[in-house]
Amino acid sequence: MSKSIAVIGDRFMLPSIFVEKITAACGNGIDIRTLEQPWPDEPMEHGYAGSKLDGLKEFMGDPDEVVSFIGDASLLVTHLAPVSRAMLERLPNLKFIAVSRGGPVNIDMQAASDHKVLVVNTPGRNASAVAEFTIGAILAETRLIRSGHESLRGGEWRGDLYRADRTGRELGEMTIGIVGYGAIGSRVVKLLKAFGCKIIVADPYVQISAQDRNDGVEHVALADLLTRADVVTLHARVTAETTGFIGHDALAAMKKDAFLINTARGPLVDYKALHEALSAGRLAGATLDTFAVEPVPPDWPLLQLRNVTLTPHIAGASVRTVTVAADQAAEEVRRYLAGEPPLNPC
């Protein structure tokens, strides 16, 4: 079997890290060629509002250039490079793709199956980073960190934020609703336990762990969660069912003094409805790390609201995410070359 590996990284998932981890896992003597893409210094093709490549999402790279670089390699390790059906038809030697992310949305999975190309991913590689970021976002909203910062930066000393009728609440007296109980959602639950808050989880496709049940975590319906939670934090995948599912009705069901946190994906939320709710005071505030279109337009209405914290899709960005993903991808390469079954086939 050919051991030619094409590595397409970027300025987050560095090609050099991939090579280092693959060499450590597989030894020397493997032909590895690398290409570095300019993300995140330059935006990727987001794809949720329409894609030029057969519905692929969150990718970067010109198809002709990617095909030319992969060439006769039998293995591809990448973060964001697209692989469409038309591209696979031009890559007859390609038999294995490792995608260093939780969901291989930049790969045409049906086409890969049709061409007998094994695709593996790295689930949970940024679960710790996103979970920690989520806790920070919750605290920034509930303890008025953002409000205090914005007022001081604007030259205003808001002593009124210490008033009993305006000051923040501790997590230990609040109910936190987790929507989605995968690798990230379950880790958020684990971290929240230290604060002593009431934790409720909505996910119709999984059961919560026995440990979480014993610790008092409740598994509830989404409608119940929305009405009870002081903070709603989203950790679901984008599907036909979840696209826009936090819309007018869901927001109307939430408490007037509740907060919404979205570190998952932008299309989960109807941002027009969210803007209306926040502007009208029907919701206390929100932290948004992901958007339906990225980068967001400079005239986007939510940028103008004072009760919203906005970050440029950085919840999953940490040094540890890079090393964990590269380690997982390298182990998959080693297993494939050794004829062993994959750990995380897609």
Side-chain angles (χ1 to χ4, degrees):
M1 177 186 298
S2 168
K3 292 186 177 181
S4 178
I5 304 174
V7 171
I8 305 179
D10 46 59
R11 293 169 189 168
F12 176 61
M13 289 303 307
L14 299 171
S16 60
I17 298 296
F18 280 129
V19 173
E20 174 189 333
K21 299 298 185 179
I22 292 170
T23 301
C26 305
N28 296 313
I30 302 176
D31 174 26
I32 305 177
R33 53 180 175 269
T34 64
L35 175 67
E36 182 177 287
Q37 297 180 318
W39 187 85
D41 294 334
E42 296 180 17
M44 70 176 81
E45 180 83 20
H46 206 237
Y48 288 105
S51 174
K52 64 184 180 184
L53 276 182
D54 303 324
L56 302 188
K57 299 176 176 63
E58 298 181 23
F59 63 88
M60 168 168 273
D62 176 78
D64 291 336
E65 293 177 0
V66 171
V67 167
S68 177
F69 174 76
I70 296 172
D72 62 356
S74 56
L75 293 86
L76 169 66
V77 177
T78 189
H79 183 215
L80 296 176
V83 179
S84 66
R85 181 176 294 276
M87 293 169 68
L88 282 171
E89 290 172 355
R90 299 165 59 190
L91 296 167
N93 291 335
L94 188 62
K95 301 301 178 186
F96 171 94
I97 303 173
V99 182
S100 62
R101 58 196 310 182
V105 293
N106 49 320
I107 310 297
D108 185 328
M109 291 302 300
Q110 184 58 57
S113 176
D114 293 343
H115 285 78
K116 295 182 172 52
V117 176
L118 173 64
V119 180
V120 299
N121 66 337
T122 57
R125 93 279 188 213
N126 66 358
S128 177
V130 177
E132 288 185 4
F133 189 97
T134 299
I135 300 301
I138 293 172
L139 290 171
E141 297 297 336
T142 60
R143 297 305 308 279
L144 309 183
I145 295 171
R146 171 188 43 77
S147 300
H149 165 75
E150 291 289 351
S151 63
L152 273 178
R153 189 171 61 174
E156 178 186 9
W157 179 272
R158 289 196 60 189
D160 64 308
L161 295 181
Y162 216 109
R163 284 174 41 169
D165 61 340
R166 293 189 182 178
T167 197
R169 298 171 62 195
E170 296 181 22
L171 293 190
E173 60 176 325
M174 303 176 78
T175 297
I176 312 299
I178 315 295
V179 181
Y181 187 74
I184 296 172
S186 60
R187 189 167 185 86
V188 172
V189 169
K190 180 179 180 180
L191 295 178
L192 282 172
K193 291 178 186 179
F195 292 91
C197 50
K198 176 62 181 177
I199 304 170
I200 54 179
V201 173
D203 190 326
Y205 299 106
V206 298
Q207 295 297 315
I208 64 174
S209 71
Q211 182 63 60
D212 283 346
R213 288 197 303 272
N214 292 338
D215 289 341
V217 179
E218 282 188 65
H219 194 189
V220 302
L222 177 62
D224 187 20
L225 182 147
L226 292 171
T227 59
R228 292 173 58 188
D230 299 298
V231 177
V232 175
T233 177
L234 306 181
H235 303 286
R237 289 192 178 278
V238 176
T239 65
E241 180 182 11
T242 61
T243 297
F245 78 141
I246 305 300
H248 288 282
D249 292 344
L251 295 167
M254 292 174 62
K255 296 179 179 180
K256 186 177 180 180
D257 60 351
F259 297 92
L260 176 70
I261 312 294
N262 186 13
T263 57
R265 284 296 184 270
L268 299 174
V269 179
D270 179 340
Y271 280 144
K272 181 179 180 181
L274 178 61
H275 181 273
E276 293 173 1
L278 291 166
S279 298
R282 297 195 301 273
L283 205 63
T287 293
L288 310 173
D289 183 57
T290 59
F291 311 93
V293 175
E294 296 180 2
V296 296
D299 60 348
W300 197 46
L302 279 166
L303 290 172
Q304 312 308 317
L305 297 183
R306 296 189 64 181
N307 55 347
V308 183
T309 301
L310 302 162
T311 51
H313 202 152
I314 56 173
S318 74
V319 173
R320 185 173 183 271
T321 294
V322 175
T323 57
V324 168
D327 274 329
Q328 290 181 322
E331 173 60 14
E332 295 286 12
V333 169
R334 185 200 68 77
R335 297 176 72 89
Y336 179 78
L337 293 176
E340 300 174 13
L343 293 174
N344 296 295
C346 298

